Amino acid sequence: MLEEHSENMMKDTLLETIAEPEAALATCNPRRSTALLVLAGLWLIIFFAALFSPPLLDDADATHANAARHMALSGDLVTLRVNGIRYLEKAPLPYWLGALSFRLFGFNTFAAHLPQAIGVLLLALLGYHWAFRVFNARAAFYTGVATLTTVGVFLFTRYYIPEVLLSLFLCIALYCLLQCLLPSATQKATDQQSPKYKTASSTAKKRAVISTGAQRSGETPPFFSPTAYAYVMWTVLALAVLTKGLVALIFFSGAAILYLALSGEYKNWRSLKPFTGILLFLLIAAPWHILAGLRNTGGMNGHGFFWFYFINEHFLRFLGRRYPMDYNKLPSSLFWSLHLVWLFPWSLFCGTLIHQAYTAFQRYRASNPAPINEARTFYWQPYAVVVVGLILQNALKIPYLFTVFAALVLFLLHGLRRRQSNSPPGTPLLRVSTLAQRSTLLLTLFATLVLTFFSLSTNQEYYTFPAYLAIILLLAVSLTHAEQTFPFDPASRRWITVAHATFTVLGVAIAVTLIYGLWSSRHLPFVPDIGDVLAHRGVGNYTLSMSGIFDLTGPSFAALRLPAALAAVAFLTGPAIAWFLRSQRRHLASTVTVALTATTFFIAAHIAFARFAPMLSSRSFADTMQQLEANHSIAPDTEVLLYGDQSYGSSIAFYLGRQVYLVNGRSSSMLFGGTFPDAPPIFLTSQDLLTVWGHGDRKLLFVPMEKREIVDQLLGNKKILLFESSGKALFTDRPLDNSGKPKDPEPPTLSLNQRLTRQDTP
């Protein structure tokens, strides 16, 4: 009785693919060399070719590049600085890589974004390798292709943020976790089997080898020893912490603990080398944190690095109480639904994944019935959760949904244990005997944890990037399974048909919208500066990374004719061709067509992205200043002032390669670092601007579009316009020297700071 129950547990715990003839899997699958060549080609077309344009964007892109630039020039690898001000809210590894890239390739867009592009390639190769060893060659190919052709991966690597590196390190750590537990898990499963159970398990193994194209755990020798995998796991986990902070530990340890508890592999904890591994982790991750804490003390209210980085940037950010409050949060419904966009076009196949997961859940319930009195013991728990959640929310400011999530996890564990009342002693909550099952469980837990965490915390659209590879791999496996069962499983045919029908309808709708925009702007002249014809609606006050998409207008299509036409052709033809190929059961060709459609769209999107450069970047203003200096119209190293937060024109400081003064700019990322005693005196008030404007050396004032009206009221007609683009303007306080010759040396004059200091001195 117990042996039969254990056998059912093994078969019905997680997704099990249905066996097909071996020949069906060997045909129409790309060879490994061909698959890797295709992945490399897609990466070169989509990501490498995009490294050269547009220039660095204002806000986070150029701000982070400035921090890396300072490291490259100063050699200070401990304290990040932006515009001379301490920038203590970020972990250092992405900036170390950026500084190295700058030293090798110079201070340019290519060097700034190269580490991220390489991270995307490595992430795709990791997904390919994982799926190839665990599932089959086709699932591996789909995983790699989908990683490179997913909207979120493309979109959120256009600017300098560390999410792709964090995702890479965490997924390597998860893969190593499985590998270092592999031998012990296999030996345990073998030792516990009775002769009858071994026979049934052997049959199941053969079916899994045929249906997934991968052998069960332990049958394929790993590349490294379990000990090596364990130490690699701790190493990359330390690198993940140096990339994004303690949130990396939360994601990995949370997924690992849940996995070990559910699978029963917590008994093999020694394989993880926890004692020596933690020492290795601390050896890599601790030195920077210690040095940063020692070198950065005496800031606002006596706080230093440790308070600002750990308390403010981790704990208070999660609770939505971070200082300063310069982040927005997506509504819950939008947060969850937008993942269909970020994972597009592969999110179209989520129906196959959900159906297969539901089928596996039904099998599990049938083979593991709950006790009859279960309903009697669970009537009071929901009320207790409500009461405890409200108390914690009011007393400790803990989000109510966090309590609900924790309670759901406890209920799940308790429910699984109750369904095993007839199981042998020591039976795990979920029996995962194959590497495919173990990978499915771990990836599901990891993706769920990341998504749930950021649904509770403050968030930006790209924060859930670390979950993308896990979801993509599961989607690729479910699509491969649906293709295998397509001839004889109506559910597989139905969900694949729904996916292609949705893709075709969306494609036609997008194409019609683009064609309408092109037709309505057919008589309008080409507009080189697209910022002049955008709406500037300021959705979310531009604190959400994708707020600018709402600024598009009909006339803006005059500047986007080429990319709009290219995208229209791709969406009008690609989805229809893919559906036709699927109906002919040419599954590989159909899926590749989906990927090529996305690739064509990304090429069009990049062309459009470059057209937005005058609006998104202020490099043209830096070029104007350098040209004026080269023409001797202004003196070299003329003092540059920026009105408002430095994020409005952060690319100016990068391309000029020097500090700029900030008028009313003691805010956001400059606020805390500006309170340290050794902070350079770059902050001016409106009164300071009036005091120095027109006196002493020439001043150049950059004004973003959002501040034009304020500056017009402040300075009136006491300013001369030098350059204007996308609503942004560059002013000076006196006429240019138009002689074209170098000016004679002038007597030394007081600098801007000296003038302000002398005025304040009694």
Side-chain angles (χ1 to χ4, degrees):
M1 173 68 178
L2 295 180
E3 293 171 355
E4 291 177 356
H5 181 80
S6 297
E7 180 180 345
N8 288 332
M9 283 286 293
M10 181 195 71
K11 290 182 180 179
D12 300 323
T13 295
L14 294 177
L15 297 179
E16 287 285 347
T17 54
I18 299 176
E20 274 193 309
E22 263 184 292
L25 290 167
T27 59
C28 298
N29 281 337
R31 291 182 299 178
R32 191 165 191 176
S33 58
T34 303
L36 294 176
L37 185 62
V38 170
L39 296 182
L42 287 174
W43 178 77
L44 288 172
I45 294 171
I46 299 173
F47 294 94
F48 185 81
L51 290 175
F52 303 92
S53 66
L56 291 175
L57 311 181
D58 290 325
D59 204 355
D61 194 29
T63 297
H64 296 167
N66 271 318
R69 179 191 179 99
H70 172 266
M71 278 191 167
L73 293 176
S74 67
D76 183 359
L77 300 181
V78 176
T79 302
L80 295 169
R81 294 180 187 270
V82 174
N83 203 31
I85 302 297
R86 282 178 168 86
Y87 188 62
L88 303 179
E89 60 192 69
K90 302 297 181 183
L93 183 57
Y95 307 95
W96 292 345
L97 297 176
L100 176 61
S101 184
F102 284 143
R103 294 294 294 268
L104 293 175
F105 303 106
F107 298 102
N108 51 62
T109 305
F110 173 85
H113 293 160
L114 181 61
Q116 289 177 281
I118 295 176
V120 172
L121 177 62
L122 295 178
L123 190 67
L125 293 178
L126 172 64
Y128 176 86
H129 173 76
W130 193 333
F132 188 88
R133 285 183 56 81
V134 173
F135 298 101
N136 56 54
R138 180 170 293 191
F141 180 65
Y142 286 176
T143 301
V145 167
T147 302
L148 296 173
T149 57
T150 295
V151 167
V153 175
F154 170 80
L155 190 62
F156 300 136
T157 53
R158 299 302 92 190
Y159 39 93
Y160 200 138
I161 55 175
E163 266 60 29
V164 66
L165 299 176
L166 175 65
S167 180
L168 175 65
F169 292 137
L170 286 178
C171 289
I172 293 176
L174 294 173
Y175 179 77
C176 290
L177 172 67
L178 291 179
Q179 293 296 323
C180 65
L181 291 171
L182 191 58
S184 57
T186 303
Q187 185 63 39
K188 174 187 172 185
T190 303
D191 293 343
Q192 289 183 350
Q193 290 174 358
S194 65
K196 177 181 177 181
Y197 185 79
K198 288 182 180 180
T199 302
S201 177
S202 177
T203 303
K205 286 182 181 181
K206 294 178 181 178
R207 294 176 66 245
V209 170
I210 295 175
S211 60
T212 66
Q215 294 179 324
R216 285 189 179 269
S217 303
E219 294 184 6
T220 302
F223 288 117
F224 305 107
S225 66
T227 300
Y229 276 115
Y231 289 128
V232 171
M233 178 189 73
W234 290 108
T235 298
V236 295
L237 185 58
L239 296 179
V241 171
L242 289 174
T243 299
K244 192 67 175 179
L246 298 183
V247 70
L249 275 180
I250 294 174
F251 292 157
F252 176 80
S253 59
I257 291 172
L258 287 174
Y259 170 78
L260 294 174
L262 291 173
S263 65
E265 293 187 34
Y266 62 88
K267 299 177 182 178
N268 305 313
W269 60 270
R270 292 181 179 83
S271 299
L272 303 178
K273 306 296 179 184
F275 301 113
T276 54
I278 291 176
L279 289 177
L280 176 62
F281 170 86
L282 293 175
L283 183 65
I284 297 172
W288 175 80
H289 291 85
I290 295 174
L291 289 174
L294 295 176
R295 295 186 185 182
N296 297 279
T297 58
M300 181 178 59
N301 299 326
H303 293 308
F305 168 81
F306 289 121
W307 176 86
F308 188 76
Y309 185 77
F310 290 109
I311 304 300
N312 191 60
E313 287 299 319
H314 286 81
F315 182 69
L316 295 182
R317 181 189 286 269
F318 174 78
L319 296 178
R321 299 165 59 191
R322 171 187 180 268
Y323 180 80
M325 181 62 69
D326 57 356
Y327 284 87
N328 236 324
K329 181 176 180 178
L330 289 168
S332 295
S333 58
L334 193 59
F335 170 84
W336 289 102
S337 60
L338 275 178
H339 284 87
L340 296 175
V341 178
W342 309 145
L343 296 172
F344 184 84
W346 308 103
S347 57
L348 295 169
F349 299 100
C350 65
T352 62
L353 176 60
I354 295 173
H355 169 72
Q356 293 169 29
Y358 179 75
T359 302
F361 175 70
Q362 292 294 94
R363 290 200 306 265
Y364 171 78
R365 290 187 61 187
S367 58
N368 299 274
I372 299 177
N373 62 344
E374 180 180 18
R376 300 178 184 176
T377 62
F378 273 84
Y379 68 91
W380 59 270
Q381 280 87 342
Y383 301 99
V385 171
V386 172
V387 173
V388 173
L390 293 176
I391 293 175
L392 293 178
Q393 183 181 34
N394 294 324
L396 302 177
K397 305 300 181 183
I398 297 177
Y400 177 75
L401 290 178
F402 178 81
T403 304
V404 173
F405 174 71
L408 289 176
V409 172
L410 294 177
F411 290 163
L412 172 64
L413 296 177
H414 180 70
L416 290 174
R417 177 55 65 188
R418 288 176 59 83
R419 288 178 179 272
Q420 295 180 346
S421 57
N422 295 325
S423 300
T427 300
L429 295 176
L430 291 174
R431 178 175 292 278
V432 282
S433 57
T434 69
L435 188 55
Q437 291 176 330
R438 298 165 69 225
S439 295
T440 302
L441 175 60
L442 182 59
L443 291 172
T444 302
L445 292 173
F446 177 72
T448 302
L449 178 62
V450 172
L451 296 176
T452 304
F453 180 90
F454 285 120
S455 71
L456 303 176
S457 170
T458 56
N459 56 62
Q460 292 276 287
E461 297 92 326
Y462 56 84
Y463 279 11
T464 56
F465 195 112
Y468 288 0
L469 182 62
I471 300 173
I472 287 171
L473 202 154
L474 293 174
L475 286 170
V477 172
S478 68
L479 177 57
T480 304
H481 172 266
E483 290 179 353
Q484 293 173 357
T485 59
F486 190 88
F488 51 86
D489 182 12
S492 295
R493 290 196 299 272
R494 179 174 62 253
W495 286 111
I496 286 184
T497 301
V498 168
H500 280 283
T502 305
F503 192 29
T504 302
V505 171
L506 286 175
V508 171
I510 294 172
V512 169
T513 302
L514 293 173
I515 292 172
Y516 173 78
L518 291 170
W519 179 259
S520 63
S521 63
R522 67 190 184 280
H523 297 307
L524 297 177
F526 174 78
V527 182
D529 188 353
I530 194 173
D532 293 335
V533 293
L534 294 177
H536 302 294
R537 296 182 176 91
V539 175
N541 293 320
Y542 296 103
T543 56
L544 295 174
S545 65
M546 294 303 299
S547 296
I549 196 172
F550 297 99
D551 292 340
L552 288 172
T553 60
S556 65
F557 275 91
L560 301 173
R561 288 193 177 103
L562 175 59
L566 188 61
V569 172
F571 279 115
L572 195 60
T573 60
I577 295 174
W579 194 0
F580 172 76
L581 292 173
R582 188 75 70 183
S583 67
Q584 300 297 309
R585 299 190 180 183
R586 298 174 60 184
H587 298 297
L588 180 61
S590 175
T591 306
V592 169
T593 302
V594 174
L596 292 178
T597 302
T599 301
T600 306
F601 169 67
F602 292 157
I603 294 172
H606 179 71
I607 297 173
F609 196 48
R611 297 280 173 87
F612 277 87
M615 174 188 173
L616 301 176
S617 175
S618 299
R619 180 179 180 176
S620 58
F621 288 85
D623 292 341
T624 298
M625 298 177 201
Q626 292 171 337
Q627 184 62 38
L628 291 173
E629 291 180 357
N631 294 338
H632 307 293
S633 297
I634 62 175
D637 297 328
T638 298
E639 292 172 336
V640 178
L641 290 71
L642 190 156
Y643 198 97
D645 191 90
Q646 68 89 30
S647 62
Y648 285 126
S650 55
S651 59
I652 293 178
F654 178 86
Y655 286 109
L656 287 180
R658 63 178 188 260
Q659 290 181 8
V660 299
Y661 294 92
L662 302 178
V663 183
N664 294 333
R666 192 187 291 270
S667 58
S668 67
S669 59
M670 297 285 99
L671 184 57
F672 183 76
T675 63
F676 283 80
D678 61 348
I682 63 171
F683 300 106
L684 309 178
T685 64
S686 296
Q687 185 59 45
D688 294 334
L689 176 62
L690 289 174
T691 300
V692 301
W693 192 254
H695 301 282
D697 293 333
R698 178 191 298 278
K699 311 296 185 299
L700 297 177
L701 176 64
F702 170 81
V703 183
M705 181 195 64
E706 294 83 356
K707 304 295 182 179
R708 287 288 296 271
E709 184 176 350
I710 297 176
V711 172
D712 287 341
Q713 295 176 357
L714 182 65
L715 297 179
N717 58 359
K718 299 178 182 180
K719 60 186 185 301
I720 299 174
L721 179 65
L722 297 179
F723 182 69
E724 187 175 17
S725 176
S726 296
K728 300 174 286 187
L730 179 66
F731 297 106
T732 186
D733 58 353
R734 67 201 65 184
L736 296 177
D737 178 12
N738 295 318
S739 64
K741 298 179 180 180
K743 298 178 63 176
D744 295 332
E746 297 180 355
T749 59
L750 297 177
S751 68
L752 189 152
N753 290 322
Q754 290 172 333
R755 290 180 61 85
L756 292 174
T757 302
R758 171 169 293 190
Q759 181 183 6
D760 294 337
T761 302

